[in-house]
Amino acid sequence: MKVPFIALTLAAALYAQPVLACGPMAEVGLEENAEFGTPTVDLVGAKIRTPSENLTPEEVSEVARGNMFQVQACYEDLVRRHPQAAGFVVATVVLDPKGAVEDAAVNVRDMKRDKAFITCVAANVGSWRFPKPKGQGSLKASIVFRATRATESQELPTVQNALAGK
């Protein structure tokens, strides 16, 4: 089934958040594939990289969970080009003292490094707003997502195992 790109932005309109589309998306033809399953993005969790009491991993995860539809849209675009793409996505953000993202870097594990996908995720994560850190200076955190085409539910790994590549 072909769907106009505007349908993908419905979630963005509902949450009043933009979805930054990366790549040619005039028409979308993504359907469930019996061999690969439905593309799904799950939040594994977050880890604070800067020793601090500024924000908790739970607060970072809450923001990621509320904006995960943006990462899902990037992943759906990726599986159109690479149907078997699956693995871990690690977004590392540096937050300024007001909770805005100063820098966002994205790495993938166990999946093809696709420049358009990485750019899409980084651009979207870079637009997120986090709670204002309580301390001085910037804060660095990593957010781990699992992108799968699984046909059945799988147990999520711990953040530490996902970041360690286990």
Side-chain angles (χ1 to χ4, degrees), residues 1 11 39-40 49 56 58 60 71 74 76 89 102-105 108 110 117 129 131-132 141 154 156 162 164:
M1 174 173 97
T40 305
R49 298 290 195 165
T56 66
E58 293 76 21
V60 173
V71 178
C74 296
E76 289 175 3
V89 180
E102 284 183 350
D103 186 43
V108 295
D110 303 328
F117 173 70
R129 291 291 285 181
K132 183 178 176 181
Q154 298 172 344
L156 288 173

Side-chain angles (χ1 to χ4, degrees), residues 88-92 105-109 113 118:
F88 292 97
V89 180
V90 180
T92 302
V106 174
N107 288 302
V108 295
R109 298 212 174 150
R113 287 190 58 80
I118 291 169

Side-chain angles (χ1 to χ4, degrees), residues 142-165:
S142 291
I143 307 162
V144 182
F145 300 95
R146 182 183 66 184
T148 62
R149 296 285 315 257
T151 55
E152 57 187 59
S153 179
Q154 298 172 344
E155 186 175 325
L156 288 173
T158 65
V159 173
Q160 289 78 10
N161 285 345
L163 288 172

Side-chain angles (χ1 to χ4, degrees), residues 50-123:
T50 308
S52 152
E53 296 178 12
N54 286 331
L55 288 178
T56 66
E58 293 76 21
E59 290 173 306
V60 173
S61 292
E62 185 177 328
V63 172
R65 196 172 291 108
N67 291 287
M68 206 162 51
F69 67 93
Q70 296 174 333
V71 178
Q72 176 76 31
C74 296
Y75 181 55
E76 289 175 3
D77 188 39
L78 172 66
V79 296
R80 280 184 200 86
R81 296 186 306 278
H82 306 286
Q84 296 182 21
F88 292 97
V89 180
V90 180
T92 302
V93 294
V94 177
L95 306 179
D96 72 12
K98 294 182 180 179
V101 177
E102 284 183 350
D103 186 43
V106 174
N107 288 302
V108 295
R109 298 212 174 150
D110 303 328
M111 69 189 297
K112 179 176 177 53
R113 287 190 58 80
D114 181 271
K115 186 175 180 178
F117 173 70
I118 291 169
T119 301
C120 183
V121 173

